[in-house]
Amino acid sequence: MNGQSSYSQTFSDGTIATFEGSRAFEKKTQDGMTGVGISGGRTAGEIDVGEKLTGTFSKAVIFSTITVGLLFDGPEYNDVQEVAKFLVNFSDGGSDTYYLTATGIHTASWTGPGGASSVLSLGSGAVNGGTGAWQLTDPFGTRAVTSIEFGAAPGVAKHSCHHCNNQTDYTLVSLAVTAVPEAHSSGMVFAGLSIMGALALRRRRS
């Protein structure tokens, strides 16, 4: 789906998942991990500050995991403590903004109401030549989500690091959600390396 800015799929329970980019999608593979970002911009194939990738669900879903890649703590690639930003709309009518910040080689902070049950560093963590991959488990607790916008915020150390000039870019590697209230009957996985090698949702047995 490189070159396309919208993708949707309907599942057997009738849930329609639609993903749209601020520009066309572009996949990016580094150190064996493939994710999805936005084409063009400062860093092609990643979600930069000012870019967004939005997922909308026709029926409310609960997020089990979110995995992002190439989110570094610095000074890799002139990045420093990069910050992934998540704007979430909930089925109860509320909305909140969450931030995932790479704070060290194998540490990251997750801020927002409720908080994730765990933030796990994957692979070799945020190190030069590594994946810089992070997996969030139960990122929004049990709150049902109707849409989510993946964006980026400037690195938190932008004023104290004179040689760090690339303020946050990352890839969306995967997310796993279950439909509500029939959580036992519908499992979905979004993966950056599926469906024409770029953007995908596929059924997963629960």
Side-chain angles (χ1 to χ4, degrees):
M1 299 186 66
N2 282 343
Q4 298 183 25
S5 59
S6 180
Y7 171 76
S8 64
Q9 183 169 340
T10 303
F11 295 89
S12 60
D13 70 343
T15 301
I16 302 172
T18 302
F19 288 87
E20 297 183 342
S22 52
R23 288 191 303 276
F25 303 124
E26 183 175 341
K27 73 170 183 175
K28 186 170 186 176
T29 300
Q30 183 168 316
D31 297 299
M33 179 166 286
T34 298
V36 172
I38 304 298
S39 63
R42 181 182 180 93
T43 309
E46 299 189 36
I47 302 170
D48 291 279
V49 175
E51 299 176 340
K52 62 182 179 180
L53 193 161
T54 304
T56 304
F57 306 91
S58 63
K59 297 181 182 180
V61 297
I62 294 177
F63 276 69
S64 301
T65 62
I66 298 175
T67 304
V68 302
L70 305 182
L71 189 79
F72 296 102
D73 73 314
E76 306 89 357
Y77 314 111
N78 291 332
D79 299 325
V80 56
Q81 294 190 3
E82 294 187 296
V83 185
K85 179 181 178 181
F86 308 86
L87 175 60
V88 186
N89 291 310
F90 297 100
S91 62
D92 60 15
S95 62
D96 286 302
T97 303
Y98 297 76
Y99 299 92
L100 175 65
T101 304
T103 57
I105 293 177
H106 296 293
T107 59
S109 66
W110 175 248
T111 57
S117 62
S118 71
V119 180
L120 177 66
S121 170
L122 302 177
S124 55
V127 296
N128 193 17
T131 64
W134 309 93
Q135 184 177 81
L136 300 160
T137 301
D138 301 324
F140 316 117
T142 59
R143 294 185 73 183
V145 174
T146 56
S147 68
I148 180 170
E149 178 183 295
F150 297 92
V156 297
K158 63 179 180 178
H159 299 301
S160 60
C161 180
H162 299 296
H163 66 279
C164 297
N165 56 18
N166 192 13
Q167 291 299 317
T168 302
D169 40 56
Y170 68 98
T171 62
L172 176 58
V173 176
S174 69
L175 59 84
V177 301
T178 54
V180 286
E182 303 85 9
H184 64 280
S185 63
S186 178
M188 293 167 275
V189 173
F190 163 97
L193 51 81
S194 303
I195 302 294
M196 302 184 192
L199 185 66
L201 280 162
R202 60 179 173 83
R203 289 298 306 273
R204 182 182 67 174
R205 295 183 63 88
S206 58

